[in-house]
Amino acid sequence: FFFQAEDGIRDYKVTGVQTCALPIYNRIQLNQTVLRLERALTSENKFDVGGLIELTYGTDSRGIHQNGLLDKENPELQFDPTQFYGLVKLPVGEGLTVKFGKFATPIGYEVIAAPYNPLFSHSYLFAWAGPFTQTGMQFDYPILEEGKLNVYAGFNRGWDQWDDNNSSMTWAAGAYGKLDKLGYFLNFSTGPERDHENTDYRTLIDEIGRAHV
């Protein structure tokens, strides 16, 4: 179920059939119930403020917690404050957008919110090849009009880190846009991700293409 209102309030519920091993059983379970409150920025090149709050409840929350943020829970059905960030649009050049807070990573084709994935199940890459969310700041700037080329850069505490596990930042940059019916994304991330380790950098380059037919 998916609902969208004029005021930017959205919620949806996803219920699926889970197959587990040891022991093997099939059952219906609640994967996600999400409340999403959003104020989008204006498309005009002028000062504006907005933001988003996204709260998730269900079995999926167990796997997406950030380190130090409700990650010690034991129940099967759990709550997770998945996203809460602010947006500021500054009339600098063609319009600079500043995002700050906890937000979903731009890395990867699959996302946490179930309605935006092509399949119900997830790949191994979704769970192991990148973060789910990040806490930090991101700066977006349009290079070409009509969304043909946008670039971003920013920094965050690391992969799924609320309580930073070291004293170094993770740096991110990328580009994204749409050319006719082809959408493209290029993401770069580098920084120490291991506990109490500030010199062992993990670097990721992520390329995604999407065709609209």
Side-chain angles (χ1 to χ4, degrees):
F1 172 75
F2 181 76
F3 167 77
Q4 180 171 345
E6 294 277 334
D7 55 4
I9 300 177
R10 306 177 184 179
D11 59 19
Y12 56 83
K13 181 182 297 183
V14 179
T15 302
V17 178
Q18 179 194 48
T19 301
C20 297
L22 300 178
I24 298 176
Y25 61 96
N26 295 310
R27 65 178 182 179
I28 296 177
Q29 68 173 17
L30 178 65
N31 298 112
Q32 295 182 9
T33 297
V34 178
L35 174 64
R36 180 176 173 136
L37 309 175
E38 180 180 16
R39 186 190 186 282
L41 294 175
T42 177
S43 59
E44 300 178 24
N45 186 13
K46 65 179 183 179
F47 178 81
D48 194 18
V49 294
L52 180 145
I53 299 175
E54 186 178 73
L55 309 175
T56 304
Y57 179 77
T59 57
D60 286 0
S61 296
R62 294 175 298 173
I64 63 173
H65 289 314
Q66 282 198 347
N67 175 47
L69 186 62
L70 302 180
D71 61 334
K72 305 301 181 184
E73 294 183 307
N74 293 318
E76 185 175 38
L77 296 175
Q78 298 183 15
F79 167 77
D80 183 73
T82 309
Q83 298 190 83
F84 45 91
Y85 62 81
L87 293 169
V88 178
K89 190 165 189 177
L90 302 173
V92 177
E94 298 301 318
L96 176 67
T97 299
V98 182
K99 179 190 292 187
F100 56 93
K102 180 177 184 280
F103 46 90
T105 179
I107 295 172
Y109 179 73
E110 298 169 274
V111 296
I112 296 172
Y116 306 112
N117 289 310
L119 300 175
F120 181 78
S121 60
H122 284 294
S123 67
Y124 283 110
L125 289 177
F126 179 66
W128 303 108
F132 295 110
T133 56
Q134 49 202 39
T135 300
M137 295 188 69
Q138 180 174 304
F139 305 86
D140 291 65
Y141 188 82
I143 301 297
L144 299 179
E145 60 183 10
E146 300 179 352
K148 295 179 180 179
L149 173 62
N150 304 271
V151 295
Y152 77 87
F155 56 89
N156 57 77
R157 291 181 172 179
W159 290 20
D160 303 311
Q161 298 297 322
W162 179 254
D163 291 337
D164 202 347
N165 61 342
N166 53 48
S167 58
S168 296
M169 287 289 181
T170 293
W171 304 94
Y176 57 95
K178 182 179 180 182
L179 299 172
D180 194 16
K181 294 184 178 181
L182 177 64
Y184 65 91
F185 308 83
L186 175 62
N187 301 297
F188 172 81
S189 173
T190 186
E193 303 296 344
R194 297 171 58 190
D195 293 348
H196 314 296
E197 173 58 63
N198 296 304
T199 58
D200 184 12
Y201 273 58
R202 180 185 301 169
T203 299
L204 181 149
I205 298 176
D206 174 55
E207 301 177 22
I208 304 169
R210 179 182 297 170
H212 300 266
V213 296

